[in-house]
Amino acid sequence: MPAIILNGTEIRKEILAEIRQEVEAIKAAHGVVPGLVTILVGSNPASLSYVSLKVKTAHSLGFKEIQDNQPEDISEAALLGLLDQYRRDETIHGILVQLPLPPHIDEKLVLNAIDPDKDVDGFHPVNVGRLVIGGSEVKFPPCTPAGIQEMIRRSGVETRGAEVVVVGRSNIVGKPIANMLLQKGSGANATVTVVHTATRNLAAHCQRADILIVAAGVPGLVKPEWIKPGACVIDVGVNRVGETVSPTTGKTVAILRGDVDFEEASKIAGFITPVPGGVGPMTIAMLMRNTLNSLKFKLQI
Ligand code: GUN
């Protein structure tokens, strides 16, 4: 039987509808809405398009949203000053600095200067620590891993006691998702293995996985024969492998491929995410949820 496709675009729609309802209820009861500021330094076209989508989504949910575009040559001190201004702004509950930053700015210094209680990306060391401790300590799970966990939860795939194999050990996907899935609690409680570039016999590890999460950034890395029949395969890879002209718009668009050979893998897996349209669309929904939760923490509701 072919795998069930986990459609991130559809799941995102459901989550955004839930958030919209909650925003309306909080507004009616407390007279406040979540506030999100997105700071973009320079005009990198890809960053500009990501930021516009985040701001548009926030607006569509009834959030207060600020798109704060700063010139490419803004000084580090000025950027830090801006972060302090938003830290003190009572109407802002989420602060996001779009990465990458220009080379004259120390990215680590900037991320560490974001108020951890408004750090909706979940990149601040305090939030990384909270995530590792788990349970009620967790405030802002990073958005891509949170999206992965939500997709698994909504697919109905059992995580308790499941063998999870995570391919890749990045700070934004591999390490956090491994930590999240090994915690006690629903949607977690799994036995987690993280494999990486120095792992011997990648195939043997993957073949054990009830849930295989691949975030390596290598197109087609995971071969169909590495997949356990019936497994849940989450492909986080978004690799540009070429360009084509869209038949509908006539514009040149990137050809995207995941880290898994989707066509063949979907004949073996029980559940699988496509690329594009799988994990990608979930990330923004989780950013909105983190911003809403930030307001809820403040209101203690
Ligand atoms: N650049 C690419 N992805 C992200 C993200 O998730 N957060 C931030 N802040 N910058 C990014």
Side-chain angles (χ1 to χ4, degrees):
M1 213 172 56
I4 293 170
I5 310 291
L6 301 176
N7 183 330
T9 310
E10 283 303 313
I11 302 173
R12 173 176 64 184
K13 247 190 239 164
E14 287 170 26
I15 294 170
L16 293 183
E18 292 162 13
I19 294 175
R20 197 174 290 115
Q21 267 190 354
E22 236 187 300
V23 171
E24 279 168 17
I26 291 173
K27 189 176 176 184
H30 301 274
V32 285
V33 296
L36 173 67
V37 61
T38 309
I39 301 169
L40 173 66
V41 178
S43 54
N44 176 308
S47 293
L48 199 56
S49 115
Y50 288 138
V51 164
S52 312
L53 188 60
K54 289 169 186 175
V55 172
K56 236 167 56 189
T57 308
H59 182 80
S60 77
L61 298 176
F63 287 18
K64 169 182 173 170
E65 91 291 345
I66 300 174
Q67 179 171 346
D68 190 338
N69 289 359
Q70 293 294 326
E72 179 87 22
D73 61 357
I74 186 176
S75 70
E76 198 173 80
L79 185 55
L80 294 176
L82 208 54
L83 292 177
D84 189 50
Q85 176 197 315
Y86 288 120
R87 182 184 60 77
R88 286 182 281 106
D89 186 334
E90 294 277 334
T91 68
I92 293 297
H93 312 98
I95 302 170
L96 183 148
V97 178
Q98 187 67 24
L99 302 176
L101 288 168
H104 69 279
I105 296 178
D106 181 344
E107 203 162 276
K108 201 154 93 180
L109 189 76
V110 169
L111 292 183
N112 291 1
I114 295 174
D115 179 351
D117 291 336
K118 296 188 179 184
D119 169 38
V120 285
D121 255 333
F123 293 162
H124 191 286
V126 165
N127 285 316
V128 176
R130 287 169 169 165
L131 189 86
V132 174
I133 294 167
S136 61
E137 282 292 323
V138 181
K139 287 199 131 176
F140 304 117
C143 301
T144 301
I148 294 170
Q149 189 176 37
E150 194 62 36
M151 284 187 112
I152 297 172
R153 227 183 233 135
R154 289 179 190 237
S155 73
V157 170
E158 179 61 88
T159 52
R160 187 175 194 279
E163 289 285 344
V164 172
V165 174
V166 179
V167 183
R169 55 179 157 184
S170 69
N171 287 332
I172 58 169
V173 185
K175 284 184 205 162
I177 191 63
N179 271 291
M180 288 160 76
L181 293 180
L182 65 77
Q183 303 290 350
K184 272 191 180 163
S186 77
N189 230 345
T191 302
V192 182
T193 306
V194 182
V195 299
H196 45 75
T197 45
T199 299
R200 286 173 300 201
N201 207 344
L202 266 183
H205 285 288
C206 292
Q207 281 159 351
R208 283 191 293 106
D210 301 312
I211 300 173
L212 180 61
I213 299 169
V214 194
V218 180
L221 172 73
V222 170
K223 310 292 175 244
E225 60 274 19
W226 296 11
I227 294 167
K228 181 173 169 177
C232 175
V233 179
I234 309 285
D235 188 353
V236 193
V238 182
N239 306 293
R240 286 168 183 256
V241 293
E243 287 183 340
T244 186
V245 176
S246 160
T248 45
T249 64
K251 284 187 184 166
T252 303
V253 289
I255 302 172
L256 300 179
R257 217 176 137 204
D259 290 351
V260 178
D261 176 349
F262 178 80
E263 284 303 316
E264 291 304 312
S266 58
K267 295 176 189 164
I268 302 162
F271 299 83
I272 191 164
T273 60
V275 176
V279 175
M282 296 294 292
T283 300
I284 208 159
M286 295 298 106
L287 175 68
M288 299 301 136
R289 192 165 77 179
N290 277 351
T291 308
L292 169 62
N293 282 343
S294 180
L295 171 60
K296 289 168 70 179
F297 292 137
K298 187 176 163 197
L299 296 173
Q300 298 186 318
I301 54 172

